[in-house]
Amino acid sequence: LSVAYPQNFITNVIWEKSDSPRMDANLFSSRHDHILVYAKSIKAFKINRISDGEIPSHYDRVDEEGNPYYLKPLRAMGGEDRREDRPSMFFPIIAPDGTQVYPMRQDGSEGRWRWGLEKIKKEAHRIGWGKSKNGYTAYYRIYHESSKGTPPETIWFNNEVGSNRTSKQEIKKIFQYKAFDTPKPEALVKKVLVVCTDKNDIVLDSFLGSGTTTAVAHKMARHWIGVELGEHAKTHCHPRLKKVIQGEQGGISKSVNWKGGGGFKFYELASSLLNQDSFGNWVMSKEYNPTMVAAAVAKQEGFRYFPDEHIYWKQGKSSEKDFIYTTTQFVTVEILDKIKDEMQPDESLLIACKAFQQECDNRFSNITIKKIPQMLLGRCEFGKDDYSLNIVNMPRDEAFDEESYETDEPEMNETEERKSTQQGIINFFDTDE
C-alpha cells in the first residue's frame, strides 16, 4: 500500500501485542504488530487529540464541539478590581438585548473587566451571558486543559489497549471457547475509533473477522457496516452483535458505560440474477421467483420496489408519476394497450420483461420496454457467485524516489475537502501471519 499510494500514507503505529516473551521462538520473540494509517486525502485528513484523566465536576458545560468548560465572571474580582486601578478596562459591552453592560462591583461602584477591549473582541466566542432581575452579567468560558488533548503517539502499549492475551480472553468469554485465532482487543479498536471518528460517523470493516470492530463501533455510538465472506459471519459476528445489543459487559463496555440497545440488519449475498445458458445466452437464474426478480430489477434501475395494492403494473416507483413493471411473461401489443388505457396522461412506465413483441417497441411515448438481461448487463457483474478477493503483494518500484515524488491528485474544492475529512483506512498488519 505504501508503495502504491505513498501520497496517502500517514504513519505506522506500533502496537505492543504481547505482554510476555514467546519462549518457543527460534530467533526473536515478536512483541509488536503494525497499524498502517492512510488518508483518502492528506490535505483534508484530521484526527482527534487524546484526552487523559477525569474532568472535575465543576466543568459543568460543553461547547458545540463537546469540549467541557465552566463560566467565570468577566468582571475582575479581588485585588485591583476598581476602575481607577485599570482605567482602560472600563468600557461597555453590548448584551444580547442591545443594552450596554459595564463592569460594576457588588457595592455599586465602578469596576473593570479582566480583559482589555482588543482581547474581548478576539475572544468574543468565549463570552457568555447570564440574566437576572438586575440585568445581564458577562461571563467567559474556562476550558479544561485536557479538552485540548495531545496528539496520538505512534507506540501503543498493551497496558493501555490490550494484548493478544486480552483479546483471546474477551472472545472466550463471549463464545465459551477459542473461537478465533487472531482477534483484536476491544480497547485497541476503541483507540482507533477515538482518534479517527466521532459519534454517528460510519465505520466500515470489509474484513470483519470475529466482529470486534463492529461491536466496538456499536458501543461507541457509531454507525457501522461489516462485510465478511466466511461462515463466521453467521457463527461469530451475528451472535456476537446480538450479545452487544443485549448489553454484554465484556471488552470496553464498562469504560463507555454500555447498557445495550440499538439494532442491526443482517444481509446475505444473493446468487447471480443472470447466468449464461449452454449456448452462451444470458438468462435469469432459476433460483429467482417473479417477486424476487421484480425487486432486484427495480433496485438496479433506481426504483423503490413498492407494489400497488390494486394496479398490478405499478410494482415500483422513482417518483409519484414514474413507475416500473417487471414481468417474466412475453409482452404483446394487447398487454401494452391494456396498460396504456389504465395510465394517467402524466404518468410514465418502464417495463422490464424476458421478451416482447416487436410492435411494442416505441409504441407509446410514455412507455419504455426493455429485455431484462440486456438492460442489466454492464450494471453489475453477473454469472459469478464467488467474490473472494485475490490479494497479492504489490511489486516494489526500486526506482521510486520518495524525496522527489509529486502527486497528480487534483486540487479539491471546499465541499470535496469537507467530504474527505476523517475518511481514511486503518489496516491491521499481523507480522505472525
Side-chain angles (χ1 to χ4, degrees), residues 46-261:
K46 294 180 181 180
I47 58 176
N48 297 319
R49 291 178 169 243
I50 304 297
S51 298
D52 296 321
E54 294 185 2
I55 298 173
S57 59
H58 64 275
Y59 289 86
D60 55 351
R61 302 166 185 260
V62 293
D63 64 11
E64 297 78 9
E65 297 179 355
N67 299 314
Y69 70 92
Y70 71 91
L71 293 175
K72 193 171 184 177
L74 186 59
R75 179 179 66 83
M77 304 176 72
E80 298 185 353
D81 62 346
R82 299 171 301 169
R83 176 177 180 176
E84 52 265 34
D85 293 323
R86 298 290 295 273
S88 63
M89 290 188 175
F90 181 84
F91 49 83
I93 299 178
I94 305 301
D97 65 351
T99 59
Q100 293 185 338
V101 176
Y102 288 87
M104 306 301 295
R105 302 174 72 202
Q106 288 185 341
D107 61 4
S109 61
E110 295 176 339
R112 68 173 181 87
W113 301 118
R114 292 177 181 271
W115 300 341
L117 181 59
E118 291 304 315
K119 185 172 182 179
I120 286 180
K121 291 179 179 179
K122 183 179 179 181
E123 301 288 339
H125 62 284
R126 291 178 58 191
I127 296 177
W129 295 90
K131 188 177 182 181
S132 66
K133 61 181 181 180
N134 297 322
Y136 280 95
T137 302
Y139 297 90
Y140 70 101
R141 298 177 180 182
I142 297 181
Y143 286 92
H144 192 265
E145 285 300 312
S146 67
S147 64
K148 299 177 182 178
T150 58
E153 299 186 68
T154 56
I155 299 180
W156 296 359
F157 296 101
N158 60 54
N159 61 351
E160 175 193 2
V161 297
S163 64
N164 278 340
R165 189 193 308 273
T166 305
S167 57
K168 290 177 181 178
Q169 290 173 346
E170 290 175 354
I171 292 295
K172 186 175 181 180
K173 184 177 180 180
I174 294 172
F175 297 106
Q176 308 305 316
Y177 62 94
K178 181 183 177 182
F180 212 77
D181 290 332
T182 57
K184 301 298 182 290
E186 288 199 5
L188 176 66
V189 179
K190 175 189 174 185
K191 184 160 185 176
V192 170
L193 299 189
V194 165
V195 170
C196 297
T197 69
D198 296 313
K199 286 184 177 181
N200 296 317
D201 279 352
I202 300 175
V203 176
L204 170 64
D205 188 347
S206 53
F207 298 92
L208 194 52
S210 62
T212 303
T213 298
T214 51
V216 172
H218 196 94
K219 294 177 184 179
M220 294 178 65
R222 273 67 169 169
H223 301 288
W224 50 266
I225 301 173
V227 180
E228 180 54 61
L229 292 177
E231 279 299 306
H232 41 281
K234 299 178 183 177
T235 59
H236 295 64
C237 304
H238 185 266
R240 181 175 188 174
L241 290 166
K242 286 181 65 177
K243 290 177 180 287
V244 169
I245 289 171
Q246 293 166 1
E248 62 91 356
Q249 290 300 296
I252 67 166
S253 293
K254 292 183 179 179
S255 66
V256 298
N257 195 31
W258 176 246
K259 303 297 184 184

Side-chain angles (χ1 to χ4, degrees), residues 258-393:
W258 176 246
K259 303 297 184 184
F264 65 93
K265 295 182 179 180
F266 186 89
Y267 294 96
E268 293 185 66
L269 187 64
S271 60
S272 179
L273 176 60
L274 300 179
N275 292 311
Q276 286 182 307
D277 62 15
S278 58
F279 300 100
N281 299 315
W282 287 100
V283 296
M284 284 182 290
S285 171
K286 295 180 180 179
E287 296 184 24
Y288 283 75
N289 59 42
T291 299
M292 294 168 63
V293 172
V297 172
K299 181 72 173 178
Q300 291 295 327
E301 291 296 311
F303 288 78
R304 180 190 176 198
Y305 182 68
F306 192 74
D308 190 280
E309 294 181 2
H310 307 289
I311 304 176
Y312 70 93
W313 52 264
K314 289 186 176 181
Q315 291 179 339
K317 58 184 180 180
S318 63
S319 68
E320 291 301 318
K321 300 294 183 179
D322 187 30
F323 302 93
I324 187 172
Y325 171 47
T326 301
T327 177
T328 56
Q329 66 178 317
F330 181 79
V331 177
T332 63
V333 170
E334 289 75 19
I335 293 175
L336 204 64
D337 290 346
K338 184 176 183 299
I339 292 175
K340 173 62 177 177
D341 290 340
E342 296 178 2
M343 294 178 64
Q344 298 298 320
D346 57 347
E347 291 181 338
S348 58
L349 176 66
L350 169 62
I351 298 178
C353 59
K354 279 187 175 182
F356 58 88
Q357 192 175 348
Q358 185 176 359
E359 289 78 9
C360 293
D361 196 18
N362 297 319
R363 186 172 180 84
F364 302 109
S365 60
N366 59 342
I367 298 180
T368 303
I369 186 167
K370 296 180 179 180
K371 292 182 180 180
I372 295 173
Q374 282 71 29
M375 67 189 292
L376 296 182
L377 288 175
R379 295 288 187 90
C380 294
E381 185 175 21
F382 295 104
K384 179 179 179 181
D385 292 330
D386 181 10
Y387 289 88
S388 300
L389 300 178
N390 180 26
I391 301 175
V392 297
N393 292 324

